[in-house]
Amino acid sequence: MAEDKKLFKGFSRRDLLKSLGGIPILGAVWFAGINHDKKSKLERDFLLEKLNIKATPPPESGPMSGEPLRIGVIGFGIRGEQLMRSLGFATNEWLEEMAENERKNPNDMRLADFKAQENLNVKLSGICDIFDVRAENALRSFNTNDNTCKRYDTYLDMIHSGEIDAIIIATPDHWHAPMAQAAIEAGIHVYLEKPMTHTIEETYTLREACRKNPTAVFAVGHQHRQTQSFLTAMDALEKNTLGHVSLIMTTTNRNDDNGAWQYDIHPEASPETINWNAFLGTAPQVPFNTEHFFRWRKWWAYGSGLSGDLLTHDYDRINCILKMGIPKYVTASGGIYTHRDGRNVPDVMHVNMEFPEFSTGGTQRESKEKGMTFVYSATLGNQFERGTVLMGHDASMKLGNTLSIYADPRSTKYRDLLDDGRIDPNVPIFQYDPSASGVDAVTSATAKYFADKGLLWTYRDGKRVDSTFLHIREWLSCIRNGGEPSCGIQEGFEEAIAAHMAGLSYKIGRKIAWDEASESIIALPGEDLDAILLNNEV
């Protein structure tokens, strides 16, 4: 496929932006040999009208008016700090660092973007972190004349304090469901980081808790549901632009320590500053060690490896577009091939999810087209960008923070246009690039990975916006104004079960099947699937 930038060869930036005027959303377009003459414009308009893809932003979530909501955060590590910034609260250290970065690089917009964020009308009233240094850092930064923030020793103290309306959970995976369930049952609203659960059993009990307590608003932190390119893709799929999609390929490609969860260990970490028993919870009782505390994603006891940590992003990105639900079969393989540092989760993983009855609609004779495979391929030893591709009979879609659609040379839907030479299968028939008018600061390979997947920011009316901010705002709006979050308990249930099936297949070495009628993963006689999932020896 041709590089997208070649589309605009010979076109000045001014000409390009001018040519895009009048198209539903900034960034769209058409075919090879583009010339800005009248005939070309007619051809472009003809094709856009034929495709009729409307990249319309979703309705804005409701107003943030009324009494401020009292928010508590459980877990103030890397992700916890990011979530608090999306909520409008940055530590003093981060503000100073960003100010310095801005002075060195005027294109670094992170501080400006933070300051421009809408006020969400919340109080950060509680912090619960079992590492004293982090908790005290939060108290220093967030206790101001306008905001009183209190530290709680345990999450249950916070939930039952009567001083918190809603909590954000950003802890190791093995604490996700217990904390969320306790909060929901107490009537506290919950924003929970992915993966939703650490075990299969937790997935059912948390769903049941949400069903019994519908007034507590529950959301899972899959912020890409706010990404404009995915909303555009959804419209394209609904209009059968691709024809029957038989194969989807998604990838993780990282090649640095941060991307392999080899995070820094804080010099002040010790048994005196960390509540080790609170960290372990129901995990195997092992002696205190900072490796497990700061790099917990590398062990099944506390995390979920590639299947729970990163596959869940890609699965939910596609599930929000196609709504394909839980796969019928899952097979997985992989191993530890790069980071032989004592971890027991794989650093290379390949997952096939089968949906034999699924169809996106076709253009060939009835009943010919049915069934789809979702492929997830990941390595933490190479960062070559492989992207995400949805392959249909009529067209293929490359999907990230940008979107491109290429007609297939053997397409039924576009047969006449291909024969007439009005479509060239080597260049996009539609392209959406919302960053065409913006300048982004990407500071690391891992940050670029997240940005390319639409996990760092998205665009509204051509302006860059933090996608996590939009996702949290949606959750707050549902609390204040009613409605259901785009990634609620049902979407979280599907994400968690699909990820657990992948983890099980990797560990057992066989195909894992889902029984839709009984809503259960099929176990062989004598198998305890949760015990297998948590087994640290496999």
Side-chain angles (χ1 to χ4, degrees):
M1 292 178 179
E3 292 295 325
D4 298 347
K5 297 297 182 186
K6 291 180 181 176
L7 275 175
F8 311 125
K9 186 178 180 181
F11 230 20
S12 72
R13 180 176 178 79
R14 183 176 179 181
D15 287 339
L16 172 62
L17 295 176
K18 186 178 178 182
S19 77
L20 298 177
I23 295 174
I25 259 237
L26 180 63
V29 190
W30 63 306
F31 62 89
I34 188 167
N35 291 307
H36 47 294
D37 55 20
K38 185 176 180 180
K39 181 181 178 184
S40 296
K41 185 177 184 304
L42 289 173
E43 287 288 296
R44 181 201 66 180
D45 292 346
F46 166 78
L47 189 52
L48 288 175
E49 183 178 350
K50 185 173 182 64
L51 295 172
N52 191 32
I53 298 171
K54 305 294 185 187
T56 307
E60 290 189 6
S61 47
M64 295 290 109
S65 55
E67 288 295 315
L69 287 171
R70 301 169 299 176
I71 308 292
V73 58
I74 305 176
F76 196 59
I78 296 172
R79 186 57 180 157
E81 276 205 46
Q82 292 168 346
L83 290 165
M84 290 308 96
R85 290 197 290 274
S86 294
L87 199 64
F89 296 87
T91 63
N92 299 332
E93 290 79 3
W94 185 87
L95 291 170
E96 292 168 4
E97 180 185 353
M98 291 303 110
E100 180 63 20
N101 289 339
E102 189 179 60
R103 277 193 290 273
K104 293 178 179 176
N105 176 13
N107 288 334
D108 191 327
M109 301 300 292
R110 287 174 290 178
L111 183 59
D113 287 346
F114 173 75
K115 289 180 176 178
Q117 268 185 193
E118 175 190 0
N119 185 336
L120 295 178
N121 189 26
V122 298
K123 299 291 186 185
L124 183 51
S125 300
I127 174 81
C128 181
D129 195 291
I130 57 176
F131 182 25
D132 291 340
V133 173
R134 287 175 178 164
E136 289 165 5
N137 183 22
L139 293 178
R140 278 196 305 275
S141 296
F142 304 142
N143 267 313
T144 65
N145 292 334
D146 299 323
N147 187 79
T148 300
C149 185
K150 174 182 176 181
R151 182 181 182 185
Y152 293 88
D153 290 335
T154 73
Y155 71 94
L156 291 175
D157 288 345
M158 175 186 281
I159 288 170
H160 297 295
S161 67
E163 298 171 334
I164 300 293
D165 301 311
I167 62 170
I168 292 176
I169 301 171
T171 63
D173 298 354
H174 70 303
W175 274 113
H176 282 184
M179 290 174 173
Q181 184 178 342
I184 291 292
E185 290 176 345
I188 303 294
H189 310 292
V190 172
Y191 183 100
L192 176 62
E193 269 301 305
K194 55 78 194 167
M196 191 178 81
T197 61
H198 196 228
T199 70
I200 301 162
E201 182 180 2
E202 290 172 350
T203 313
Y204 294 95
T205 55
L206 181 55
R207 183 177 68 168
E208 188 63 16
C210 289
R211 286 175 171 175
K212 288 182 176 178
N213 299 275
T215 58
V217 177
F218 175 81
V220 182
H222 283 303
Q223 68 271 16
H224 50 254
R225 285 181 173 260
Q226 311 298 328
T227 302
Q228 184 63 52
S229 56
F230 286 78
L231 301 168
T232 308
M234 195 180 303
D235 190 67
L237 266 295
E238 288 174 355
K239 288 167 179 162
N240 200 23
T241 306
L242 306 188
H244 173 65
V245 175
S246 57
L247 181 65
I248 296 172
M249 297 188 297
T250 66
T251 61
T252 288
N253 316 286
R254 296 179 173 183
N255 196 18
D256 63 345
D257 284 348
N258 187 58
W261 311 311
Q262 193 72 3
Y263 302 135
D264 292 340
I265 292 176
H266 199 286
E268 296 181 51
S270 74
E272 287 70 43
T273 57
I274 292 174
N275 185 339
W276 182 244
N277 288 331
F279 169 75
L280 290 178
T282 58
Q285 301 299 295
V286 298
F288 174 85
N289 69 88
T290 54
E291 177 81 4
H292 281 208
F293 184 76
F294 288 97
R295 299 167 177 172
W296 54 266
R297 296 177 195 270
K298 302 195 305 184
W299 286 275
W300 292 109
Y302 327 111
S304 311
L306 284 164
S307 54
D309 205 75
L310 298 174
L311 161 64
T312 51
H313 275 312
D314 285 279
Y315 166 82
D316 191 72
R317 290 164 76 217
I318 301 303
N319 197 30
C320 80
I321 297 170
L322 297 182
K323 300 177 177 57
M324 71 273 191
I326 296 170
K328 176 67 175 175
Y329 305 108
V330 176
T331 55
S333 62
I336 303 170
Y337 302 141
T338 299
H339 301 278
R340 297 179 182 275
D341 52 10
R343 69 181 63 201
N344 60 20
V345 300
D347 59 15
V348 170
M349 193 174 195
H350 192 88
V351 178
N352 290 329
M353 295 186 178
E354 309 291 343
F355 301 82
E357 301 299 321
F358 185 76
S359 174
T360 56
T363 54
Q364 302 184 83
R365 65 176 170 77
E366 189 174 354
S367 78
K368 179 180 179 182
E369 301 167 304
K370 187 174 69 172
M372 179 187 80
T373 294
F374 169 99
V375 177
Y376 173 73
S377 175
T379 176
L380 301 182
N382 182 293
Q383 70 177 55
F384 183 77
E385 175 57 42
R386 295 177 292 166
T388 295
V389 181
L390 290 78
M391 303 175 72
H393 168 69
D394 293 306
S396 296
M397 176 189 292
K398 294 174 67 177
L399 182 59
N401 223 341
T402 63
L403 180 158
S404 300
I405 299 175
Y406 296 79
D408 191 272
R410 301 292 183 185
S411 164
T412 300
K413 184 184 183 80
Y414 305 115
R415 182 75 270 146
D416 291 344
L417 292 172
L418 287 161
D419 289 344
D420 292 345
R422 301 178 79 174
I423 285 180
D424 182 339
N426 294 311
V427 292
I429 57 173
F430 183 90
Q431 186 172 36
Y432 169 63
D433 182 1
S435 64
S437 63
V439 179
D440 298 328
V442 177
T443 55
S444 71
T446 301
K448 183 178 185 306
Y449 166 83
F450 283 118
D452 288 344
K453 286 181 177 288
L455 292 167
L456 283 184
W457 56 72
T458 183
Y459 296 82
R460 291 291 186 267
D461 300 325
K463 181 182 177 183
R464 194 175 80 170
V465 185
D466 180 346
S467 53
T468 300
F469 164 80
L470 292 175
H471 205 49
I472 287 179
R473 192 191 192 286
E474 178 193 81
W475 172 60
L476 295 173
S477 176
C478 292
I479 295 171
R480 287 189 164 107
N481 307 302
E484 295 182 3
S486 56
C487 195
I489 187 61
Q490 181 57 33
E491 293 80 10
F493 182 86
E494 294 169 356
E495 170 250 73
I497 292 293
H500 292 326
M501 291 174 73
L504 284 169
S505 180
Y506 170 77
K507 288 196 159 193
I508 299 174
R510 66 171 170 81
K511 180 184 287 186
I512 303 297
W514 171 251
D515 183 354
E516 186 174 0
S518 64
E519 284 201 308
S520 61
I521 299 174
I522 299 173
L524 298 181
E527 277 186 338
D528 180 340
L529 296 182
D530 268 341
I532 294 170
L533 203 56
L534 297 177
N535 187 351
N536 281 298
E537 304 304 317
V538 180

